[in-house]
């Protein structure tokens, strides 16, 4: 990939990505794009996002799953971080630098369809499909 532009504002944050699996071992992925940068193409990613002030990683996982998918879980269903990384990437008109943890959530039944009701406006534009 090309170097990230130096002139973009930098957003530093902590974030959580969630590996959501159902009782048939399927994993939820979103098909996404960045409308501001079509040259980046499309890719698949895990649900998740930035931590709000005062949130734990479990709080963030619960909130992000509800907002992005409509799936409601409790903090007790969110596993301990299994992987950590420092990522830098271009999104919209910002260069993100984020410290991420990856956690797991296992659903008791078959994975439901995604409910987009509580998504943020940019998420409605970025995410154009999902797959279990």
């Amino acid at each position: 990939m090309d170097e990230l532009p130096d002139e973009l504002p930098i957003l530093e944050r902590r974030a959580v990505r969630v590996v959501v699996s159902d009782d048939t071992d399927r994993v939820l992925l979103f098909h996404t794009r960045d409308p501001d940068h079509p040259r980046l193409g499309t890719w698949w990613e895990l649900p998740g996002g930035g931590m709000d002030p005062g949130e734990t990683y479990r709080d963030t996982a619960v909130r992000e799953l509800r907002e992005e998918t409509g799936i409601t879980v409790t903090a007790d269903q969110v596993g301990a971080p299994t992987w950590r990384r420092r990522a830098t990437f271009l999104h919209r008109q910002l260069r993100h630098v984020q410290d991420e943890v990856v956690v797991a959530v296992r659903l008791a039944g078959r994975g439901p369809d995604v409910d987009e009701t509580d998504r943020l406006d940019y998420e409605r534009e970025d995410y154009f499909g999902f797959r279990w």
Side-chain angles (χ1 to χ4, degrees), residues 8 31-43 45 89-96 122 125-128:
L8 291 177
H31 207 189
T32 189
R33 65 181 166 239
D34 184 339
D36 288 358
H37 304 282
R39 70 178 174 76
L40 297 176
T42 64
W43 60 91
E45 71 182 27
F89 57 91
L90 184 63
H91 182 246
R92 299 295 177 127
Q93 295 303 311
L94 295 171
R95 177 179 170 194
H96 288 248
Y122 78 86
E125 293 176 10
D126 292 359
Y127 300 142
F128 62 93

PDB file of all heavy atoms in Angstrom, residues 8 31-43 45 89-96 122 125-128:
ATOM      1  N   LEU A   8      -2.671  14.894   6.393  1.00  0.00           N
ATOM      2  CA  LEU A   8      -3.980  14.672   7.006  1.00  0.00           C
ATOM      3  C   LEU A   8      -3.905  14.806   8.523  1.00  0.00           C
ATOM      4  O   LEU A   8      -2.913  14.420   9.141  1.00  0.00           O
ATOM      5  CB  LEU A   8      -4.503  13.274   6.657  1.00  0.00           C
ATOM      6  CG  LEU A   8      -4.891  13.042   5.215  1.00  0.00           C
ATOM      7  CD1 LEU A   8      -5.321  11.598   5.015  1.00  0.00           C
ATOM      8  CD2 LEU A   8      -6.010  13.977   4.793  1.00  0.00           C
ATOM      9  N   HIS A  31     -18.596  -6.054   4.821  1.00  0.00           N
ATOM     10  CA  HIS A  31     -17.964  -5.647   3.571  1.00  0.00           C
ATOM     11  C   HIS A  31     -18.004  -4.127   3.561  1.00  0.00           C
ATOM     12  O   HIS A  31     -19.067  -3.528   3.739  1.00  0.00           O
ATOM     13  CB  HIS A  31     -18.721  -6.235   2.383  1.00  0.00           C
ATOM     14  CG  HIS A  31     -17.865  -6.425   1.189  1.00  0.00           C
ATOM     15  ND1 HIS A  31     -18.368  -6.762  -0.031  1.00  0.00           N
ATOM     16  CD2 HIS A  31     -16.518  -6.320   1.007  1.00  0.00           C
ATOM     17  CE1 HIS A  31     -17.385  -6.873  -0.907  1.00  0.00           C
ATOM     18  NE2 HIS A  31     -16.259  -6.600  -0.300  1.00  0.00           N
ATOM     19  N   THR A  32     -16.877  -3.497   3.387  1.00  0.00           N
ATOM     20  CA  THR A  32     -16.810  -2.059   3.567  1.00  0.00           C
ATOM     21  C   THR A  32     -15.919  -1.382   2.532  1.00  0.00           C
ATOM     22  O   THR A  32     -15.204  -2.044   1.782  1.00  0.00           O
ATOM     23  CB  THR A  32     -16.332  -1.726   5.015  1.00  0.00           C
ATOM     24  OG1 THR A  32     -16.460  -0.329   5.258  1.00  0.00           O
ATOM     25  CG2 THR A  32     -14.912  -2.175   5.250  1.00  0.00           C
ATOM     26  N   ARG A  33     -15.978  -0.061   2.540  1.00  0.00           N
ATOM     27  CA  ARG A  33     -15.191   0.776   1.632  1.00  0.00           C
ATOM     28  C   ARG A  33     -15.060   2.150   2.270  1.00  0.00           C
ATOM     29  O   ARG A  33     -15.742   2.472   3.239  1.00  0.00           O
ATOM     30  CB  ARG A  33     -15.905   0.901   0.300  1.00  0.00           C
ATOM     31  CG  ARG A  33     -17.234   1.641   0.470  1.00  0.00           C
ATOM     32  CD  ARG A  33     -18.016   1.787  -0.804  1.00  0.00           C
ATOM     33  NE  ARG A  33     -19.371   2.191  -0.441  1.00  0.00           N
ATOM     34  CZ  ARG A  33     -20.458   1.512  -0.739  1.00  0.00           C
ATOM     35  NH1 ARG A  33     -20.386   0.410  -1.433  1.00  0.00           N
ATOM     36  NH2 ARG A  33     -21.643   1.949  -0.366  1.00  0.00           N
ATOM     37  N   ASP A  34     -14.216   2.970   1.716  1.00  0.00           N
ATOM     38  CA  ASP A  34     -14.084   4.366   2.145  1.00  0.00           C
ATOM     39  C   ASP A  34     -14.480   5.221   0.952  1.00  0.00           C
ATOM     40  O   ASP A  34     -13.716   5.347  -0.007  1.00  0.00           O
ATOM     41  CB  ASP A  34     -12.647   4.662   2.580  1.00  0.00           C
ATOM     42  CG  ASP A  34     -12.467   6.069   3.116  1.00  0.00           C
ATOM     43  OD1 ASP A  34     -13.307   6.951   2.805  1.00  0.00           O
ATOM     44  OD2 ASP A  34     -11.487   6.298   3.836  1.00  0.00           O
ATOM     45  N   PRO A  35     -15.694   5.809   0.970  1.00  0.00           N
ATOM     46  CA  PRO A  35     -16.150   6.592  -0.191  1.00  0.00           C
ATOM     47  C   PRO A  35     -15.227   7.754  -0.559  1.00  0.00           C
ATOM     48  O   PRO A  35     -15.203   8.170  -1.711  1.00  0.00           O
ATOM     49  CB  PRO A  35     -17.525   7.125   0.249  1.00  0.00           C
ATOM     50  CG  PRO A  35     -17.969   6.190   1.320  1.00  0.00           C
ATOM     51  CD  PRO A  35     -16.715   5.743   2.021  1.00  0.00           C
ATOM     52  N   ASP A  36     -14.451   8.265   0.398  1.00  0.00           N
ATOM     53  CA  ASP A  36     -13.518   9.356   0.103  1.00  0.00           C
ATOM     54  C   ASP A  36     -12.270   8.879  -0.630  1.00  0.00           C
ATOM     55  O   ASP A  36     -11.543   9.685  -1.202  1.00  0.00           O
ATOM     56  CB  ASP A  36     -13.074  10.057   1.396  1.00  0.00           C
ATOM     57  CG  ASP A  36     -14.171  10.909   2.009  1.00  0.00           C
ATOM     58  OD1 ASP A  36     -15.269  11.002   1.421  1.00  0.00           O
ATOM     59  OD2 ASP A  36     -13.921  11.483   3.087  1.00  0.00           O
ATOM     60  N   HIS A  37     -12.014   7.577  -0.595  1.00  0.00           N
ATOM     61  CA  HIS A  37     -10.790   7.031  -1.186  1.00  0.00           C
ATOM     62  C   HIS A  37     -11.101   5.748  -1.961  1.00  0.00           C
ATOM     63  O   HIS A  37     -10.708   4.659  -1.555  1.00  0.00           O
ATOM     64  CB  HIS A  37      -9.747   6.759  -0.096  1.00  0.00           C
ATOM     65  CG  HIS A  37      -9.431   7.967   0.720  1.00  0.00           C
ATOM     66  ND1 HIS A  37      -8.601   8.971   0.268  1.00  0.00           N
ATOM     67  CD2 HIS A  37      -9.861   8.358   1.939  1.00  0.00           C
ATOM     68  CE1 HIS A  37      -8.529   9.922   1.176  1.00  0.00           C
ATOM     69  NE2 HIS A  37      -9.285   9.583   2.203  1.00  0.00           N
ATOM     70  N   PRO A  38     -11.788   5.865  -3.101  1.00  0.00           N
ATOM     71  CA  PRO A  38     -12.161   4.671  -3.862  1.00  0.00           C
ATOM     72  C   PRO A  38     -10.967   3.847  -4.333  1.00  0.00           C
ATOM     73  O   PRO A  38     -11.096   2.641  -4.549  1.00  0.00           O
ATOM     74  CB  PRO A  38     -12.958   5.224  -5.049  1.00  0.00           C
ATOM     75  CG  PRO A  38     -12.731   6.687  -5.070  1.00  0.00           C
ATOM     76  CD  PRO A  38     -12.262   7.099  -3.714  1.00  0.00           C
ATOM     77  N   ARG A  39      -9.793   4.452  -4.428  1.00  0.00           N
ATOM     78  CA  ARG A  39      -8.603   3.705  -4.860  1.00  0.00           C
ATOM     79  C   ARG A  39      -8.242   2.593  -3.880  1.00  0.00           C
ATOM     80  O   ARG A  39      -7.527   1.659  -4.228  1.00  0.00           O
ATOM     81  CB  ARG A  39      -7.420   4.645  -5.056  1.00  0.00           C
ATOM     82  CG  ARG A  39      -6.881   5.224  -3.762  1.00  0.00           C
ATOM     83  CD  ARG A  39      -5.664   6.114  -3.975  1.00  0.00           C
ATOM     84  NE  ARG A  39      -5.251   6.764  -2.771  1.00  0.00           N
ATOM     85  CZ  ARG A  39      -4.580   6.179  -1.771  1.00  0.00           C
ATOM     86  NH1 ARG A  39      -4.247   4.915  -1.848  1.00  0.00           N
ATOM     87  NH2 ARG A  39      -4.239   6.851  -0.696  1.00  0.00           N
ATOM     88  N   LEU A  40      -8.738   2.687  -2.649  1.00  0.00           N
ATOM     89  CA  LEU A  40      -8.451   1.655  -1.651  1.00  0.00           C
ATOM     90  C   LEU A  40      -9.255   0.376  -1.906  1.00  0.00           C
ATOM     91  O   LEU A  40      -8.984  -0.652  -1.297  1.00  0.00           O
ATOM     92  CB  LEU A  40      -8.737   2.178  -0.235  1.00  0.00           C
ATOM     93  CG  LEU A  40      -7.884   3.360   0.216  1.00  0.00           C
ATOM     94  CD1 LEU A  40      -8.335   3.837   1.603  1.00  0.00           C
ATOM     95  CD2 LEU A  40      -6.413   2.991   0.230  1.00  0.00           C
ATOM     96  N   GLY A  41     -10.274   0.456  -2.748  1.00  0.00           N
ATOM     97  CA  GLY A  41     -11.080  -0.720  -3.054  1.00  0.00           C
ATOM     98  C   GLY A  41     -12.044  -1.055  -1.929  1.00  0.00           C
ATOM     99  O   GLY A  41     -12.516  -0.176  -1.214  1.00  0.00           O
ATOM    100  N   THR A  42     -12.312  -2.343  -1.783  1.00  0.00           N
ATOM    101  CA  THR A  42     -13.208  -2.811  -0.720  1.00  0.00           C
ATOM    102  C   THR A  42     -12.478  -3.869   0.091  1.00  0.00           C
ATOM    103  O   THR A  42     -11.484  -4.447  -0.364  1.00  0.00           O
ATOM    104  CB  THR A  42     -14.502  -3.414  -1.298  1.00  0.00           C
ATOM    105  OG1 THR A  42     -14.188  -4.582  -2.051  1.00  0.00           O
ATOM    106  CG2 THR A  42     -15.248  -2.401  -2.167  1.00  0.00           C
ATOM    107  N   TRP A  43     -12.972  -4.119   1.293  1.00  0.00           N
ATOM    108  CA  TRP A  43     -12.363  -5.120   2.161  1.00  0.00           C
ATOM    109  C   TRP A  43     -13.393  -5.618   3.155  1.00  0.00           C
ATOM    110  O   TRP A  43     -14.479  -5.077   3.280  1.00  0.00           O
ATOM    111  CB  TRP A  43     -11.137  -4.553   2.880  1.00  0.00           C
ATOM    112  CG  TRP A  43     -11.429  -3.369   3.759  1.00  0.00           C
ATOM    113  CD1 TRP A  43     -11.752  -3.378   5.084  1.00  0.00           C
ATOM    114  CD2 TRP A  43     -11.449  -1.998   3.372  1.00  0.00           C
ATOM    115  NE1 TRP A  43     -11.976  -2.107   5.546  1.00  0.00           N
ATOM    116  CE2 TRP A  43     -11.783  -1.236   4.502  1.00  0.00           C
ATOM    117  CE3 TRP A  43     -11.206  -1.329   2.170  1.00  0.00           C
ATOM    118  CZ2 TRP A  43     -11.904   0.153   4.483  1.00  0.00           C
ATOM    119  CZ3 TRP A  43     -11.321   0.052   2.152  1.00  0.00           C
ATOM    120  CH2 TRP A  43     -11.664   0.778   3.295  1.00  0.00           C
ATOM    121  N   GLU A  45     -14.096  -6.568   7.228  1.00  0.00           N
ATOM    122  CA  GLU A  45     -13.566  -6.256   8.548  1.00  0.00           C
ATOM    123  C   GLU A  45     -14.501  -6.727   9.652  1.00  0.00           C
ATOM    124  O   GLU A  45     -15.688  -6.957   9.431  1.00  0.00           O
ATOM    125  CB  GLU A  45     -13.262  -4.766   8.694  1.00  0.00           C
ATOM    126  CG  GLU A  45     -14.456  -3.864   8.767  1.00  0.00           C
ATOM    127  CD  GLU A  45     -14.064  -2.387   8.871  1.00  0.00           C
ATOM    128  OE1 GLU A  45     -12.983  -1.991   8.396  1.00  0.00           O
ATOM    129  OE2 GLU A  45     -14.866  -1.629   9.436  1.00  0.00           O
ATOM    130  N   PHE A  89      -4.112   3.825   9.597  1.00  0.00           N
ATOM    131  CA  PHE A  89      -4.824   3.690   8.325  1.00  0.00           C
ATOM    132  C   PHE A  89      -5.526   4.994   7.990  1.00  0.00           C
ATOM    133  O   PHE A  89      -5.752   5.850   8.844  1.00  0.00           O
ATOM    134  CB  PHE A  89      -5.824   2.529   8.367  1.00  0.00           C
ATOM    135  CG  PHE A  89      -6.843   2.640   9.472  1.00  0.00           C
ATOM    136  CD1 PHE A  89      -8.061   3.263   9.266  1.00  0.00           C
ATOM    137  CD2 PHE A  89      -6.572   2.117  10.728  1.00  0.00           C
ATOM    138  CE1 PHE A  89      -8.983   3.380  10.286  1.00  0.00           C
ATOM    139  CE2 PHE A  89      -7.491   2.208  11.752  1.00  0.00           C
ATOM    140  CZ  PHE A  89      -8.708   2.848  11.530  1.00  0.00           C
ATOM    141  N   LEU A  90      -5.871   5.110   6.738  1.00  0.00           N
ATOM    142  CA  LEU A  90      -6.590   6.248   6.208  1.00  0.00           C
ATOM    143  C   LEU A  90      -8.076   5.951   6.296  1.00  0.00           C
ATOM    144  O   LEU A  90      -8.521   4.868   5.919  1.00  0.00           O
ATOM    145  CB  LEU A  90      -6.171   6.423   4.746  1.00  0.00           C
ATOM    146  CG  LEU A  90      -6.685   7.591   3.957  1.00  0.00           C
ATOM    147  CD1 LEU A  90      -6.187   8.890   4.561  1.00  0.00           C
ATOM    148  CD2 LEU A  90      -6.214   7.455   2.517  1.00  0.00           C
ATOM    149  N   HIS A  91      -8.869   6.886   6.816  1.00  0.00           N
ATOM    150  CA  HIS A  91     -10.325   6.760   6.789  1.00  0.00           C
ATOM    151  C   HIS A  91     -10.921   8.148   6.689  1.00  0.00           C
ATOM    152  O   HIS A  91     -10.656   8.999   7.526  1.00  0.00           O
ATOM    153  CB  HIS A  91     -10.869   6.044   8.023  1.00  0.00           C
ATOM    154  CG  HIS A  91     -12.354   5.875   7.958  1.00  0.00           C
ATOM    155  ND1 HIS A  91     -13.200   6.494   8.825  1.00  0.00           N
ATOM    156  CD2 HIS A  91     -13.136   5.171   7.100  1.00  0.00           C
ATOM    157  CE1 HIS A  91     -14.446   6.173   8.525  1.00  0.00           C
ATOM    158  NE2 HIS A  91     -14.432   5.366   7.484  1.00  0.00           N
ATOM    159  N   ARG A  92     -11.698   8.330   5.648  1.00  0.00           N
ATOM    160  CA  ARG A  92     -12.261   9.627   5.329  1.00  0.00           C
ATOM    161  C   ARG A  92     -11.121  10.623   5.213  1.00  0.00           C
ATOM    162  O   ARG A  92     -10.159  10.367   4.530  1.00  0.00           O
ATOM    163  CB  ARG A  92     -13.327  10.038   6.350  1.00  0.00           C
ATOM    164  CG  ARG A  92     -14.517   9.079   6.422  1.00  0.00           C
ATOM    165  CD  ARG A  92     -15.280   9.084   5.117  1.00  0.00           C
ATOM    166  NE  ARG A  92     -16.364   8.132   5.115  1.00  0.00           N
ATOM    167  CZ  ARG A  92     -17.613   8.442   4.816  1.00  0.00           C
ATOM    168  NH1 ARG A  92     -17.931   9.673   4.516  1.00  0.00           N
ATOM    169  NH2 ARG A  92     -18.524   7.510   4.802  1.00  0.00           N
ATOM    170  N   GLN A  93     -11.166  11.719   5.914  1.00  0.00           N
ATOM    171  CA  GLN A  93     -10.115  12.720   5.777  1.00  0.00           C
ATOM    172  C   GLN A  93      -9.216  12.767   7.011  1.00  0.00           C
ATOM    173  O   GLN A  93      -8.708  13.826   7.386  1.00  0.00           O
ATOM    174  CB  GLN A  93     -10.730  14.094   5.500  1.00  0.00           C
ATOM    175  CG  GLN A  93     -11.451  14.160   4.168  1.00  0.00           C
ATOM    176  CD  GLN A  93     -10.540  13.792   2.999  1.00  0.00           C
ATOM    177  OE1 GLN A  93      -9.422  14.292   2.870  1.00  0.00           O
ATOM    178  NE2 GLN A  93     -11.009  12.899   2.135  1.00  0.00           N
ATOM    179  N   LEU A  94      -9.016  11.593   7.616  1.00  0.00           N
ATOM    180  CA  LEU A  94      -8.170  11.475   8.796  1.00  0.00           C
ATOM    181  C   LEU A  94      -7.197  10.321   8.644  1.00  0.00           C
ATOM    182  O   LEU A  94      -7.499   9.324   7.985  1.00  0.00           O
ATOM    183  CB  LEU A  94      -9.015  11.212  10.052  1.00  0.00           C
ATOM    184  CG  LEU A  94      -9.981  12.299  10.500  1.00  0.00           C
ATOM    185  CD1 LEU A  94     -10.870  11.776  11.619  1.00  0.00           C
ATOM    186  CD2 LEU A  94      -9.219  13.529  10.956  1.00  0.00           C
ATOM    187  N   ARG A  95      -6.061  10.477   9.270  1.00  0.00           N
ATOM    188  CA  ARG A  95      -5.137   9.359   9.433  1.00  0.00           C
ATOM    189  C   ARG A  95      -5.360   8.839  10.850  1.00  0.00           C
ATOM    190  O   ARG A  95      -5.126   9.542  11.824  1.00  0.00           O
ATOM    191  CB  ARG A  95      -3.692   9.810   9.262  1.00  0.00           C
ATOM    192  CG  ARG A  95      -2.723   8.681   9.497  1.00  0.00           C
ATOM    193  CD  ARG A  95      -1.311   9.143   9.302  1.00  0.00           C
ATOM    194  NE  ARG A  95      -0.424   8.088   9.765  1.00  0.00           N
ATOM    195  CZ  ARG A  95       0.852   8.260   9.985  1.00  0.00           C
ATOM    196  NH1 ARG A  95       1.414   9.438   9.772  1.00  0.00           N
ATOM    197  NH2 ARG A  95       1.592   7.276  10.414  1.00  0.00           N
ATOM    198  N   HIS A  96      -5.855   7.639  10.958  1.00  0.00           N
ATOM    199  CA  HIS A  96      -6.114   7.019  12.261  1.00  0.00           C
ATOM    200  C   HIS A  96      -4.855   6.319  12.748  1.00  0.00           C
ATOM    201  O   HIS A  96      -4.191   5.623  11.974  1.00  0.00           O
ATOM    202  CB  HIS A  96      -7.229   5.982  12.160  1.00  0.00           C
ATOM    203  CG  HIS A  96      -8.582   6.579  11.973  1.00  0.00           C
ATOM    204  ND1 HIS A  96      -9.553   6.510  12.923  1.00  0.00           N
ATOM    205  CD2 HIS A  96      -9.117   7.277  10.949  1.00  0.00           C
ATOM    206  CE1 HIS A  96     -10.634   7.126  12.500  1.00  0.00           C
ATOM    207  NE2 HIS A  96     -10.388   7.602  11.287  1.00  0.00           N
ATOM    208  N   TYR A 122     -21.903   7.682   8.804  1.00  0.00           N
ATOM    209  CA  TYR A 122     -20.785   7.235   7.962  1.00  0.00           C
ATOM    210  C   TYR A 122     -20.741   5.713   7.864  1.00  0.00           C
ATOM    211  O   TYR A 122     -20.310   5.164   6.851  1.00  0.00           O
ATOM    212  CB  TYR A 122     -19.449   7.811   8.438  1.00  0.00           C
ATOM    213  CG  TYR A 122     -18.843   7.140   9.646  1.00  0.00           C
ATOM    214  CD1 TYR A 122     -18.050   6.012   9.511  1.00  0.00           C
ATOM    215  CD2 TYR A 122     -19.071   7.632  10.929  1.00  0.00           C
ATOM    216  CE1 TYR A 122     -17.492   5.389  10.620  1.00  0.00           C
ATOM    217  CE2 TYR A 122     -18.516   7.023  12.024  1.00  0.00           C
ATOM    218  CZ  TYR A 122     -17.729   5.902  11.872  1.00  0.00           C
ATOM    219  OH  TYR A 122     -17.189   5.287  12.961  1.00  0.00           O
ATOM    220  N   GLU A 125     -22.890   4.561   5.100  1.00  0.00           N
ATOM    221  CA  GLU A 125     -22.253   4.771   3.793  1.00  0.00           C
ATOM    222  C   GLU A 125     -21.121   3.780   3.544  1.00  0.00           C
ATOM    223  O   GLU A 125     -20.942   3.305   2.428  1.00  0.00           O
ATOM    224  CB  GLU A 125     -21.680   6.186   3.711  1.00  0.00           C
ATOM    225  CG  GLU A 125     -22.725   7.276   3.708  1.00  0.00           C
ATOM    226  CD  GLU A 125     -22.106   8.661   3.734  1.00  0.00           C
ATOM    227  OE1 GLU A 125     -20.877   8.779   3.567  1.00  0.00           O
ATOM    228  OE2 GLU A 125     -22.855   9.631   3.928  1.00  0.00           O
ATOM    229  N   ASP A 126     -20.349   3.473   4.582  1.00  0.00           N
ATOM    230  CA  ASP A 126     -19.156   2.630   4.426  1.00  0.00           C
ATOM    231  C   ASP A 126     -19.504   1.150   4.274  1.00  0.00           C
ATOM    232  O   ASP A 126     -18.926   0.456   3.448  1.00  0.00           O
ATOM    233  CB  ASP A 126     -18.213   2.782   5.618  1.00  0.00           C
ATOM    234  CG  ASP A 126     -17.565   4.156   5.709  1.00  0.00           C
ATOM    235  OD1 ASP A 126     -17.820   5.001   4.839  1.00  0.00           O
ATOM    236  OD2 ASP A 126     -16.803   4.378   6.667  1.00  0.00           O
ATOM    237  N   TYR A 127     -20.402   0.648   5.115  1.00  0.00           N
ATOM    238  CA  TYR A 127     -20.730  -0.780   5.110  1.00  0.00           C
ATOM    239  C   TYR A 127     -21.810  -1.048   4.073  1.00  0.00           C
ATOM    240  O   TYR A 127     -22.891  -0.484   4.138  1.00  0.00           O
ATOM    241  CB  TYR A 127     -21.232  -1.237   6.476  1.00  0.00           C
ATOM    242  CG  TYR A 127     -20.242  -1.045   7.609  1.00  0.00           C
ATOM    243  CD1 TYR A 127     -20.663  -0.656   8.868  1.00  0.00           C
ATOM    244  CD2 TYR A 127     -18.880  -1.264   7.435  1.00  0.00           C
ATOM    245  CE1 TYR A 127     -19.762  -0.492   9.916  1.00  0.00           C
ATOM    246  CE2 TYR A 127     -17.981  -1.098   8.458  1.00  0.00           C
ATOM    247  CZ  TYR A 127     -18.440  -0.716   9.702  1.00  0.00           C
ATOM    248  OH  TYR A 127     -17.539  -0.551  10.717  1.00  0.00           O
ATOM    249  N   PHE A 128     -21.531  -1.910   3.130  1.00  0.00           N
ATOM    250  CA  PHE A 128     -22.522  -2.199   2.101  1.00  0.00           C
ATOM    251  C   PHE A 128     -22.905  -3.673   2.047  1.00  0.00           C
ATOM    252  O   PHE A 128     -23.651  -4.093   1.179  1.00  0.00           O
ATOM    253  CB  PHE A 128     -22.058  -1.699   0.725  1.00  0.00           C
ATOM    254  CG  PHE A 128     -20.806  -2.345   0.232  1.00  0.00           C
ATOM    255  CD1 PHE A 128     -20.868  -3.478  -0.581  1.00  0.00           C
ATOM    256  CD2 PHE A 128     -19.564  -1.826   0.564  1.00  0.00           C
ATOM    257  CE1 PHE A 128     -19.710  -4.063  -1.045  1.00  0.00           C
ATOM    258  CE2 PHE A 128     -18.404  -2.414   0.095  1.00  0.00           C
ATOM    259  CZ  PHE A 128     -18.480  -3.542  -0.701  1.00  0.00           C
TER     260      PHE A 128
END
